[in-house]
Amino acid sequence: MKKLYFYCFCICLLSSQAHARQITDSEILLGKEQQLHSEILNETQVLNLYLPKSFSEASDDHQYPVILLLEDEFFHLVTGIVQHLSSVNRMPESIVVSLKNGPVVPKLYTNKSDFWPEEWKQLPFGKSPDDFVKSLEKELFPYLKKHYRANDYRIVIGFSGTSIFALHALAKEPDLFNAHIAIAAGDILGMGYEEGKSLIDVFEQNLIENPDFKNKLYVTSAASDVEDAPMIGQNLMELQRRLSKHKSEEFQFISKIYPNENHYDVALPALGEAFNLIFPKEKWSADYREMSAEKGKALANIDSFYAELSAYYGFSILPMAERWNSIYSLRWVGLDLLKQERIKEAIIVLERRAHYRPNSIAALTDLSKAYERSGHKDK
């Protein structure tokens, strides 16, 4: 009997260790650390890289936006939000890259900011970010395109000090990113490249000169920061006041004091709001059931929805082949059409699903069932 207990104990122990290994492997897959040597910067950039969960299964048709995270500390927070929102069809599947070395930020005038020491006329750190920008354009982004099917749609996210680069990019490199997120950054809005001239001045002037400018901007600071440094709130309200007249379908922004939050605590609620600004629910909510209701038009209606979405964002956005626990996917539509005896339509949808997931046993199995129902057992 004692031997039996011992064997049971060993089996349980081995089982728990195997489970622990599975969890560890899963966590490792979430963030893959890589090194990329930069000839331009003459240094090795250390990257944390997150790829969409379906990356290895998806066809080459799938290409992904890049989210450049300037503060590595928030890597798991950002990737968790991106993974969730993309899995429920609220944003595209995306690549997240964080820079463990951090960005190069310009040396700004503080313009008497009450958030920084009074004696600091300029920030004591920073230098020209031109080579850093060139490294992104000539090295990092091409590397991601070559190895990970990245497309040209890019979002930059900065927190506190690193948001200096996110805002600098909007001011001086407005075509480098399609959206800019700057969190805990209200103090930086009042700073500038020249004494007495703020980044807000530069943003407004750029919009005056380029009224068709297409971009998204999200800037916020926590209410607790505003209590300690009132100029932060003034800057955020000033940005809101001066850029509001330039708002359009092409250029949208949010500038706000986030209530009931502290400096870094604001990251979680702010990121959800920022992604909703860039990928609003009303644009992304696709009702596959409604689109497949019209006989003979199931896939055509779904394709039409995503063609319109792709035209707006400027890159190819594809229907969801699979979606956990949801009817809003090609898998569900295809199987539902089979139940309705709309066999030809079902085959068209399930063929597309199999094309998007060419190595998926489940996708091929469902397609084979549809072929069998249609009498094409050879297929």
Side-chain angles (χ1 to χ4, degrees):
M1 183 63 73
K2 286 182 178 179
K3 283 186 177 181
L4 179 60
Y5 288 148
F6 177 72
Y7 292 148
C8 290
F9 170 76
C10 289
I11 290 168
C12 290
L13 180 61
L14 289 169
S15 175
S16 65
Q17 287 176 339
H19 181 62
R21 282 197 296 273
Q22 288 172 0
I23 292 172
T24 304
D25 289 344
S26 176
E27 288 172 349
I28 289 170
L29 288 172
L30 178 64
K32 183 180 179 183
E33 186 173 292
Q34 296 195 13
Q35 294 187 351
L36 179 64
H37 183 73
S38 169
E39 298 289 344
I40 295 170
L41 297 173
N42 193 29
E43 69 176 31
T44 298
Q45 279 278 13
V46 182
L47 315 172
N48 255 335
L49 178 68
Y50 163 82
L51 298 175
K53 190 175 180 181
S54 66
F55 178 83
S56 60
E57 294 181 356
S59 66
D60 289 345
D61 305 77
H62 294 76
Q63 297 184 345
Y64 307 101
V66 172
I67 298 172
L68 181 66
L69 178 58
L70 303 170
E71 187 80 49
D72 184 67
E73 179 69 24
F74 294 93
F75 179 75
H76 288 288
L77 172 62
V78 172
T79 55
I81 292 172
V82 169
Q83 181 171 315
H84 172 68
L85 290 177
S86 61
S87 73
V88 296
N89 203 31
R90 285 289 305 277
M91 68 175 288
E93 290 186 304
S94 302
I95 296 168
V96 181
V97 183
S98 66
L99 306 178
K100 300 195 87 170
N101 305 39
V104 176
V105 302
K107 194 177 182 74
L108 299 178
Y109 286 90
T110 61
N111 290 333
K112 301 180 180 178
S113 168
D114 54 1
F115 185 77
W116 300 88
E118 191 175 345
E119 62 272 18
W120 285 6
K121 187 175 181 180
Q122 273 186 298
L123 294 176
F125 54 86
K127 61 181 182 179
S128 171
D130 290 350
D131 282 345
F132 178 69
V133 170
K134 193 181 297 183
S135 175
L136 295 179
E137 291 179 315
K138 304 294 185 184
E139 295 173 328
L140 177 60
F141 296 152
Y143 170 79
L144 295 173
K145 290 184 80 168
K146 180 178 179 180
H147 295 282
Y148 300 109
R149 305 199 303 270
N151 63 32
D152 291 326
Y153 192 93
R154 297 187 285 262
I155 299 169
V156 62
I157 305 177
F159 295 85
S160 195
T162 59
S163 64
I164 293 174
F165 180 79
L167 295 174
H168 164 77
L170 181 64
K172 296 294 186 179
E173 307 287 343
D175 297 324
L176 190 59
F177 298 97
N178 302 85
H180 301 72
I181 300 173
I183 295 172
D187 54 307
I188 295 157
L189 290 172
M191 299 182 185
Y193 305 104
E194 304 171 30
E195 192 171 6
K197 187 174 182 181
S198 71
L199 290 175
I200 300 172
D201 296 328
V202 179
F203 297 154
E204 184 177 37
Q205 187 59 40
N206 287 350
L207 286 166
I208 291 170
E209 294 174 2
N210 185 9
D212 298 324
F213 180 56
K214 185 173 184 176
N215 213 286
K216 301 287 195 302
L217 170 64
Y218 181 91
V219 192
T220 191
S221 278
S224 64
D225 284 343
V226 177
E227 291 172 9
D228 295 335
M231 285 179 69
I232 290 175
Q234 294 167 20
N235 291 337
L236 289 163
M237 289 186 287
E238 180 75 357
L239 183 70
Q240 174 66 31
R241 184 183 68 81
R242 290 173 61 181
L243 297 196
S244 286
K245 55 180 172 286
H246 300 286
K247 256 187 175 182
S248 67
E249 176 69 12
E250 302 299 319
F251 175 72
Q252 297 177 15
F253 77 98
I254 291 175
S255 176
K256 66 180 286 185
I257 301 166
Y258 221 105
N260 305 315
E261 295 292 348
N262 295 323
H263 187 71
Y264 282 123
D265 303 358
V266 74
L268 179 58
L271 281 167
E273 187 173 45
F275 281 123
N276 190 61
L277 171 70
I278 302 166
F279 306 110
K281 181 180 179 181
E282 57 270 20
K283 279 191 179 297
W284 281 83
S285 291
D287 191 332
Y288 284 58
R289 181 164 45 191
E290 182 180 313
M291 289 188 287
S292 63
E294 186 181 357
K295 289 190 176 182
K297 292 292 186 71
L299 190 58
N301 289 341
I302 293 170
D303 280 343
S304 177
F305 175 89
Y306 283 96
E308 187 176 330
L309 205 57
S310 300
Y312 178 79
Y313 284 96
F315 65 92
S316 176
I317 303 170
L318 303 177
M320 294 193 76
E322 315 280 349
R323 182 172 167 183
W324 172 79
N325 200 26
S326 174
I327 64 174
Y328 300 134
S329 69
L330 295 182
R331 172 186 176 274
W332 180 88
V333 170
L335 295 178
D336 187 60
L337 291 171
L338 271 183
K339 289 178 185 176
Q340 297 179 46
E341 297 296 326
R342 294 161 65 181
I343 309 297
K344 288 183 179 179
E345 280 189 89
I347 288 173
I348 292 170
V349 171
L350 292 173
E351 282 179 337
R352 177 72 68 79
R353 175 197 174 198
H355 174 74
Y356 287 164
R357 297 289 186 271
N359 299 314
S360 167
I361 292 172
L364 295 173
T365 299
D366 288 341
L367 178 57
S368 72
K369 290 176 182 176
Y371 284 146
E372 185 178 23
R373 291 276 295 276
S374 70
H376 290 93
K377 292 188 178 182
D378 56 319
K379 290 189 176 183

